[in-house]
Amino acid sequence: MIEWDEKLTSEQKRAASHEGLHARLLAGPGTGKTLTLTRRILWLLTQRNIPPNEILAVTFTRAAVSELRGCIEDHIERILSEFPRISTLHSFALRQLLRNASLTQLPQPLRIADGYEERQIIIEELSDLIGKDVRETQKLLSELSADWQRLTADNHDWEMRFPNSKFLGAWKEHREIYAYTLRAELVYQLKRALEEQRESLDLEGPPKYVLIDEYQDLNACDLSVVKSLAELGSEIYCAGDDDQSIYGFRFANPEGIRRFTNDYIPSTSLGLDICQRCCKEILDYGLYV
């Protein structure tokens, strides 16, 4: 097993070993953000002796989850029989909803519609019910998902403002009859459960240390869930670069990482400025061009 600080630069070492409450790590391309995040988990485990089940690392894609999990397992498999939880936010939300299904307003027993069911059954049947073609129904379903992600579904007049009230009514009745939950609403439903049933929820862990990669790509709903975890006692350590927000199609809100130190008080702003991918001369030449 390598040491937590092996081959780290001084700024990476400082960021990985941050002590205190919440922290934001601003890191440009090639500065070693994921490496630093990985070593922070190792630091928590080996230097602070934090139990693995108290650590939750959230990344944006399943591929990133697999990569981060592989790095952690390579480092700690010889000393620990249990690993920190590493997942996407959707996966985390699903696990918590399944653990607390009776406390939600979702159809019971809680069942998630898979991709085939959503495309070939739900959308097809909703199209017939509202007299629209499949593409238009898919667009309306995407609008519903967007309202969850932007939290406009929380507005008191949301249903009146939705572009097709017939679709909304048909979808509500259809999901009640067939008792399914859409993947697109998982994080939103966890957000609601955290607001409405906070004292009763049995959260996995619960996580005392929450580390989030690519924080600039979280949308308003994601950010609300993270804030609720902090209010329940989790220490938030986020990493990202507001200049690299690429998930506008799912309403990523880079303002979340920009205002982090205002939203989480007290908190510390950390930074990685030195690119490790190439030498300074090449960077200078690129900037000149």
Side-chain angles (χ1 to χ4, degrees):
M1 187 194 80
I2 68 171
E3 294 296 324
W4 73 270
D5 58 350
E6 185 174 324
K7 295 183 179 179
L8 293 186
T9 65
S10 58
E11 64 174 6
Q12 290 171 343
K13 188 184 300 185
R14 183 167 56 253
S17 60
H18 163 74
E19 293 195 61
L21 288 175
H22 315 297
R24 173 189 65 184
L25 175 61
L26 290 175
T31 55
K33 170 173 59 65
T34 302
L35 171 64
T36 302
L37 201 68
T38 302
R39 297 299 184 84
R40 175 161 183 79
I41 295 173
L42 193 59
W43 179 81
L44 288 171
L45 292 167
T46 62
Q47 305 302 303
R48 293 282 306 279
N49 296 316
I50 303 300
N53 68 343
E54 294 183 1
I55 299 173
L56 168 67
V58 176
T59 63
F60 208 71
T61 66
R62 284 176 290 182
V65 166
S66 179
E67 179 184 357
L68 184 56
R69 182 179 289 124
C71 291
I72 297 299
E73 289 178 351
D74 288 344
H75 292 161
I76 67 174
E77 62 180 352
R78 297 180 184 177
I79 61 170
L80 295 175
S81 58
E82 183 181 4
F83 297 110
R85 287 159 296 144
I86 303 171
S87 70
T88 63
L89 195 55
H90 275 77
S91 177
F92 174 73
L94 174 57
R95 294 199 305 274
Q96 308 323 305
L97 291 173
L98 288 171
R99 288 170 66 95
N100 299 274
S102 63
L103 298 178
T104 72
Q105 299 178 14
L106 297 170
Q108 301 293 319
L110 199 153
R111 182 182 67 82
I112 309 302
D114 61 23
Y116 177 85
E117 182 179 2
E118 186 175 317
R119 290 190 304 272
Q120 304 299 327
I121 300 176
I122 296 173
I123 293 177
E124 291 281 353
E125 292 189 2
L126 287 176
S127 296
D128 291 339
L129 288 170
I130 66 175
K132 300 289 185 181
D133 63 39
V134 169
R135 283 187 295 182
E136 189 163 354
T137 303
Q138 175 65 70
K139 184 177 179 181
L140 288 167
L141 197 61
S142 296
E143 181 65 30
L144 181 59
S145 175
D147 285 344
W148 290 326
Q149 293 169 351
R150 296 177 299 192
L151 295 185
T152 49
D154 285 352
N155 296 341
H156 72 280
D157 58 349
W158 166 65
E159 294 190 12
M160 296 175 57
R161 291 177 175 271
F162 194 81
N164 189 313
S165 58
K166 187 176 182 180
F167 164 83
L168 203 56
W171 169 73
K172 286 183 176 181
E173 184 176 359
H174 190 267
R175 77 175 328 230
E176 192 64 31
I177 292 172
Y178 293 100
Y180 61 81
T181 297
L182 296 173
R183 291 175 297 172
E185 64 180 308
L186 289 174
V187 179
Y188 179 71
Q189 293 295 347
L190 176 59
K191 175 255 180 195
R192 291 187 59 181
L194 284 166
E195 291 177 346
E196 298 169 6
Q197 302 287 345
R198 181 172 301 182
E199 300 303 320
S200 304
L201 282 182
D202 173 28
L203 291 180
E204 185 181 35
K208 294 184 179 179
Y209 298 86
V210 178
L211 300 91
I212 306 167
D213 200 6
E214 307 297 357
Y215 196 80
Q216 76 278 355
D217 287 324
L218 271 58
N219 57 42
C221 185
D222 302 333
L223 293 169
S224 178
V225 168
V226 174
K227 185 67 173 178
S228 291
L229 291 177
E231 291 169 353
L232 286 170
S234 296
E235 177 185 293
I236 309 301
Y237 184 99
C238 77
D241 180 359
D242 58 336
D243 289 332
Q244 295 188 72
S245 181
I246 61 173
Y247 285 89
F249 65 89
R250 65 179 299 277
F251 308 100
N253 185 5
E255 282 302 314
I257 196 167
R258 292 171 186 151
R259 66 168 188 257
F260 183 90
T261 52
N262 292 324
D263 290 343
Y264 294 89
I265 299 174
S267 60
T268 301
S269 184
L270 306 166
L272 299 178
D273 300 316
I274 303 173
C275 180
Q276 307 295 322
R277 289 179 183 165
C278 55
C279 64
K280 183 177 184 301
E281 288 76 10
I282 293 177
L283 290 173
D284 289 342
Y285 186 76
L287 290 172
Y288 173 77
V289 172

